[in-house]
Amino acid sequence: MLVISGKNWTLSLAELAAYFQAKNVKFKINVYSKVFFVITIDEPSAIDIAGLGGTIKIGEITAKLPTQTMKEAFLEDNKQAQAEIRDALSPRKLTNQMFEKTSVGKAVFGVSVYWSDPVFRPVARRVQRFVGSAVKKELTAEGKRANFMGFAKDRRSPQLSHVEVLKKNMVKNRAEVLFCVGREETFVAVTVAVHDPFEFQKRDVGKPSQRKIFAIPPRLARIMVNLASCTEGKVFLDPFCGVGSILQEALLAKAKVIGVDVNRWCVEATMRNLKWLKDEYSLENAESRVLQGDVRKLSEKIGREQVDCIATEPDLGPALRQVPTTSYATRLTERLEPLYHVLLEEAYKVLRRGGRLVVVSPYVKTRSGQPVTMRIGDKAVAVGFKRVYPFQKRIFVGDPVGFAELTAIASLVDVEKKHIIGREIHILQK
Ligand SMILES: C[S@@+](CC[C@H](N)C(=O)[O-])C[C@H]1O[C@@H](n2cnc3c(N)ncnc32)[C@H](O)[C@@H]1O
């Protein structure tokens, strides 16, 4: 199975690993890069793209070829290698299921090219046309009329967006070819599922009560819910629930959710939002409770060992207009530390054994270029938590390049270029 990752590939890969582990699905990561992954799973039906925040497209692999041949064919213009690629591409495997159920009058198919080595960037468009014309020829031979979807010249990469794939009905028609050039192998696949941004957007801006500056984007909320191993029937808690963005995703994952916030308005807003979500997604029987309370008294409010998983974003500090100095940023994070320490202590009390806490802490850019972060790991261990490293050796096949660095990652960082404060995501287990 081929996966096209979201913008933050480490988050996307960590989410997938946690998603399969939580569902007890055996899986292996065969290949990974900043743009796509190749994974093997026991039960392909166990993956539902609507339940993943960090996956953009999923493809079924139809052919593989050595990337060395790609280099010879497109970087050295070797005609023999080009002919080999045409054969290895097996266009029939791609076309024989395309447009099965449609009248093909206005049908379109597309080719998206992804690469992990930037040497392929200058030839990516040529590769796309090459693959497109092989597919078109095969479609014509099969008597199927379909147009190859072209791109405007100024588009940066020859890749269809998920919105285009959805709008042109390309999943149902199996009409998008993914051509992914990896470091050693190149994979050809057909898109079988695509991320639906409109659904996530609806939960973001369609809910009745909103609070823009504090709210976490639904895709990141979903990733956190998955990192927390939240699955059907589990009891899920967000003790800093705000307007309930993380709870919404946990409810969609079929958990029983509990939200707590110190602010009365937030409690009411979360109630309204969860009611809206239940109506919108026909979740009439979903269980939810929202309580007003301070995290300092969390275990008194919820009871000990009552919760299976927690994902939460406490205070990340004030919005900053300009990039601070290291000492200012340090003062900001130190001021927040006591709240995080209380959270760790109280979360440990309310979690059942083996339960996970996924918590966001601030990642503050500074003028020195070195970010200031909060070292909550030491406190977490002192409280009794184990740190969960998102990438464990056993999930990889062999010893891929860069793999040692990946398995050493203890927390995941999500920071946008335009923002001064980003998020550091920690996974802890009782
Ligand atoms: C960053 S916001 C959470 C936003 C939330 N994830 C959302 O998407 O709406 C932090 C929330 O923690 C709440 N809060 C702050 N201090 C608290 C405390 N001591 N106990 C419980 N809630 C607290 C605030 O009212 C605020 O709604």
Side-chain angles (χ1 to χ4, degrees):
M1 178 173 282
L2 193 133
V3 175
I4 304 293
S5 147
K7 262 193 279 171
N8 188 334
W9 71 274
T10 42
L11 258 186
S12 300
L13 192 60
E15 181 193 31
L16 277 172
Y19 179 84
F20 292 128
Q21 272 161 8
K23 288 181 184 286
N24 285 321
V25 173
K26 283 210 186 102
F27 78 100
K28 287 276 181 197
I29 299 166
N30 303 67
V31 171
Y32 69 88
S33 71
K34 290 184 180 170
V35 273
F36 69 88
F37 320 130
V38 176
I39 54 173
T40 317
I41 49 172
D42 263 7
E43 300 163 48
S45 59
I47 185 165
D48 173 14
I49 200 162
L52 291 163
T55 291
I56 299 297
K57 297 175 185 174
I58 297 177
E60 219 170 77
I61 296 175
T62 58
K64 279 197 288 193
L65 52 119
T67 293
Q68 182 56 30
T69 316
M70 285 294 295
K71 286 189 177 150
E72 288 162 17
F74 292 100
L75 302 179
E76 296 159 18
D77 233 355
N78 178 326
K79 296 282 178 278
Q80 171 66 27
Q82 288 173 6
E84 280 174 35
I85 290 172
R86 213 167 284 122
D87 288 345
L89 187 62
S90 350
R92 184 156 309 155
K93 278 202 193 160
L94 295 168
T95 54
N96 62 12
Q97 292 184 54
M98 274 186 191
F99 310 114
E100 253 188 338
K101 300 180 195 80
T102 49
S103 67
V104 289
K106 278 190 189 150
V108 281
F109 74 95
V111 177
S112 295
V113 180
Y114 299 87
W115 54 90
S116 47
D117 184 341
V119 295
F120 284 101
R121 172 178 282 284
V123 295
R125 232 164 250 281
R126 254 181 76 207
V127 174
Q128 189 215 22
R129 285 196 299 269
F130 180 93
V131 177
S133 84
V135 169
K136 172 86 186 175
K137 218 164 133 190
E138 190 59 42
L139 282 170
T140 310
E142 288 173 24
K144 294 176 178 172
R145 269 182 40 222
N147 291 331
F148 180 25
M149 187 164 159
F151 287 149
K153 282 217 167 60
D154 55 357
R155 186 180 291 215
R156 273 190 74 225
S157 306
Q159 293 157 5
L160 294 164
S161 71
H162 39 312
V163 175
E164 286 168 324
V165 176
L166 280 175
K167 288 206 164 146
K168 298 281 177 191
N169 243 339
M170 287 187 181
V171 175
K172 190 168 138 250
N173 289 338
R174 293 178 67 102
E176 187 194 22
V177 177
L178 302 170
F179 195 88
C180 298
V181 188
R183 286 185 204 95
E184 279 159 24
E185 281 183 301
T186 293
F187 300 86
V188 188
V190 178
T191 304
V192 292
V194 72
H195 169 78
D196 186 342
F198 305 112
E199 281 302 313
F200 280 85
Q201 205 177 20
K202 178 167 88 180
R203 304 204 286 272
D204 195 11
V205 295
K207 60 181 185 259
S209 295
Q210 296 174 32
R211 204 175 47 156
K212 291 224 163 35
I213 42 164
F214 290 116
I216 195 160
R219 280 179 57 190
L220 183 60
R222 190 52 166 245
I223 291 174
M224 288 175 60
V225 164
N226 284 326
L227 292 174
S229 297
C230 175
T231 49
E232 184 167 358
K234 288 201 177 159
V235 178
F236 175 93
L237 167 72
D238 180 354
F240 295 91
C241 70
V243 296
S245 318
I246 305 179
L247 294 174
Q248 287 194 150
E249 299 306 311
L251 209 58
L252 286 168
K254 302 198 175 119
K256 300 169 190 166
V257 309
I258 308 172
V260 177
D261 201 289
V262 77
N263 180 323
R264 181 81 224 147
W265 181 86
C266 286
V267 171
E268 283 162 9
T270 295
M271 283 174 173
R272 281 191 293 274
N273 287 342
L274 294 184
K275 157 105 184 46
W276 169 84
L277 187 90
K278 288 180 190 175
D279 292 344
E280 199 67 29
Y281 287 84
S282 310
L283 301 168
E284 295 78 18
N285 300 324
E287 287 179 38
S288 64
R289 267 196 299 156
V290 190
L291 313 165
Q292 187 176 7
D294 193 304
V295 74
R296 291 171 186 86
K297 300 210 165 140
L298 192 64
S299 54
E300 270 179 41
K301 192 117 200 152
I302 306 288
R304 288 179 175 246
E305 311 217 335
Q306 296 297 314
V307 170
D308 298 303
C309 31
I310 303 176
T312 196
E313 177 171 86
D315 200 350
L316 296 183
L320 299 175
R321 291 244 172 91
Q322 34 176 304
V323 177
T325 59
T326 301
S327 61
Y328 187 75
T330 308
R331 277 203 302 280
L332 283 183
T333 53
E334 279 175 358
R335 211 178 296 151
L336 293 172
E337 246 167 32
L339 186 69
Y340 279 77
H341 289 182
V342 175
L343 165 69
L344 291 170
E345 285 162 6
E346 289 295 302
Y348 192 82
K349 290 181 199 161
V350 300
L351 273 173
R352 298 198 176 114
R353 265 183 92 80
R356 279 189 179 185
L357 163 65
V358 173
V359 56
V360 175
S361 66
Y363 176 100
V364 191
K365 290 182 192 167
T366 67
R367 288 179 208 171
S368 73
Q370 203 46 34
V372 167
T373 57
M374 198 185 268
R375 296 222 315 273
I376 66 169
D378 297 346
K379 174 71 183 175
V381 171
V383 166
F385 280 111
K386 280 189 300 227
R387 289 203 82 131
V388 176
Y389 283 66
F391 305 107
Q392 283 141 29
K393 280 190 187 134
R394 61 188 163 78
I395 63 176
F396 294 94
V397 173
D399 221 343
V401 183
F403 142 93
E405 274 168 45
L406 211 52
T407 51
I409 291 178
S411 63
L412 300 154
V413 172
D414 190 40
V415 53
E416 286 192 32
K417 250 196 190 132
K418 59 177 189 227
H419 290 159
I420 297 171
I421 301 185
R423 299 177 163 100
E424 187 179 12
I425 301 166
H426 311 262
I427 312 167
L428 306 167
Q429 189 150 349
K430 178 163 171 180

Coordinates of all heavy atoms in Angstrom, one line a residue, residues 313 316 360-365 413-416 419-424:
E313 N -4.3 20.1 24.8 CA -3.4 21.2 24.6 C -3.7 22.2 25.6 O -4.7 22.9 25.6 CB -3.7 21.8 23.2 CG -2.9 23.0 22.9 CD -3.0 23.5 21.5 OE1 -4.0 24.2 21.2 OE2 -2.2 23.1 20.7
L316 N -0.6 27.6 25.6 CA 0.7 27.7 24.9 C 1.4 29.1 25.1 O 2.4 29.4 24.5 CB 0.6 27.4 23.4 CG 0.1 26.0 23.0 CD1 0.1 25.9 21.5 CD2 1.0 24.9 23.6
V360 N 0.4 18.6 24.2 CA 1.1 19.6 23.4 C 1.8 20.6 24.3 O 1.2 21.1 25.3 CB 0.2 20.4 22.5 CG1 0.9 21.5 21.8 CG2 -0.5 19.5 21.5
S361 N 3.1 20.9 24.1 CA 3.7 22.0 24.8 C 4.3 23.0 23.8 O 4.4 22.7 22.7 CB 4.8 21.4 25.8 OG 5.9 20.9 25.0
P362 N 4.6 24.2 24.3 CA 5.0 25.2 23.4 C 6.4 25.0 22.8 O 7.3 24.5 23.5 CB 4.9 26.5 24.2 CG 4.9 26.1 25.6 CD 4.4 24.8 25.7
Y363 N 6.6 25.4 21.5 CA 7.8 25.3 20.9 C 8.0 26.7 20.3 O 7.4 27.1 19.4 CB 7.7 24.3 19.7 CG 8.9 24.1 18.8 CD1 9.8 23.1 19.0 CD2 9.2 25.0 17.8 CE1 10.9 22.9 18.2 CE2 10.2 24.9 16.9 CZ 11.1 23.8 17.1 OH 12.2 23.6 16.3
V364 N 8.9 27.5 21.0 CA 8.9 29.0 20.7 C 10.2 29.3 19.9 O 11.3 29.0 20.3 CB 8.9 29.8 22.0 CG1 8.8 31.3 21.7 CG2 7.9 29.3 23.0
K365 N 9.9 29.8 18.7 CA 11.1 30.3 17.9 C 11.8 31.5 18.6 O 11.1 32.3 19.3 CB 10.6 30.7 16.5 CG 10.1 29.6 15.7 CD 9.7 30.2 14.3 CE 8.9 29.2 13.5 NZ 8.2 29.9 12.4
V413 N 7.3 17.6 16.4 CA 7.2 19.0 16.3 C 6.3 19.4 15.1 O 6.4 18.9 14.0 CB 8.6 19.7 16.2 CG1 8.4 21.2 16.0 CG2 9.4 19.4 17.5
D414 N 5.4 20.4 15.4 CA 4.5 20.9 14.3 C 4.6 22.4 14.4 O 4.0 23.0 15.3 CB 3.1 20.4 14.5 CG 2.2 20.7 13.3 OD1 2.7 20.6 12.2 OD2 1.1 21.1 13.5
V415 N 5.3 23.0 13.5 CA 5.4 24.5 13.5 C 5.3 25.0 12.1 O 6.0 24.5 11.2 CB 6.7 24.9 14.3 CG1 8.0 24.3 13.7 CG2 6.9 26.4 14.3
E416 N 4.5 26.0 11.9 CA 4.4 26.6 10.6 C 5.3 27.8 10.5 O 5.6 28.4 11.4 CB 2.9 27.1 10.4 CG 2.0 25.9 10.2 CD 0.7 26.3 9.7 OE1 0.6 27.4 9.0 OE2 -0.3 25.7 10.1
H419 N 4.2 31.1 11.9 CA 3.9 31.2 13.3 C 5.2 31.3 14.2 O 6.2 30.7 13.8 CB 3.1 30.0 13.8 CG 1.7 30.0 13.2 ND1 0.9 28.9 13.1 CD2 0.9 31.1 12.7 CE1 -0.3 29.3 12.6 NE2 -0.3 30.6 12.3
I420 N 5.1 32.0 15.3 CA 6.2 32.1 16.2 C 6.2 31.0 17.2 O 7.2 30.4 17.6 CB 6.2 33.5 16.9 CG1 6.3 34.6 15.8 CG2 7.3 33.6 18.0 CD1 6.1 36.0 16.4
I421 N 5.0 30.6 17.6 CA 4.9 29.5 18.6 C 4.3 28.3 17.9 O 3.3 28.3 17.2 CB 4.0 29.9 19.8 CG1 4.6 31.1 20.5 CG2 3.9 28.7 20.7 CD1 3.9 31.5 21.8
G422 N 5.1 27.2 17.9 CA 4.6 26.0 17.4 C 4.3 25.0 18.5 O 4.2 25.4 19.6
R423 N 4.0 23.8 18.1 CA 3.6 22.7 19.0 C 4.6 21.6 19.1 O 5.1 21.1 18.1 CB 2.3 22.2 18.6 CG 1.1 23.2 18.6 CD -0.1 22.5 18.1 NE -1.3 23.3 18.4 CZ -1.9 24.1 17.6 NH1 -1.5 24.2 16.3 NH2 -3.0 24.8 17.9
E424 N 4.9 21.2 20.3 CA 5.7 20.0 20.5 C 4.8 18.9 21.1 O 4.1 19.2 22.1 CB 6.9 20.3 21.4 CG 7.9 19.1 21.5 CD 9.1 19.3 22.4 OE1 9.1 20.3 23.1 OE2 10.0 18.5 22.3

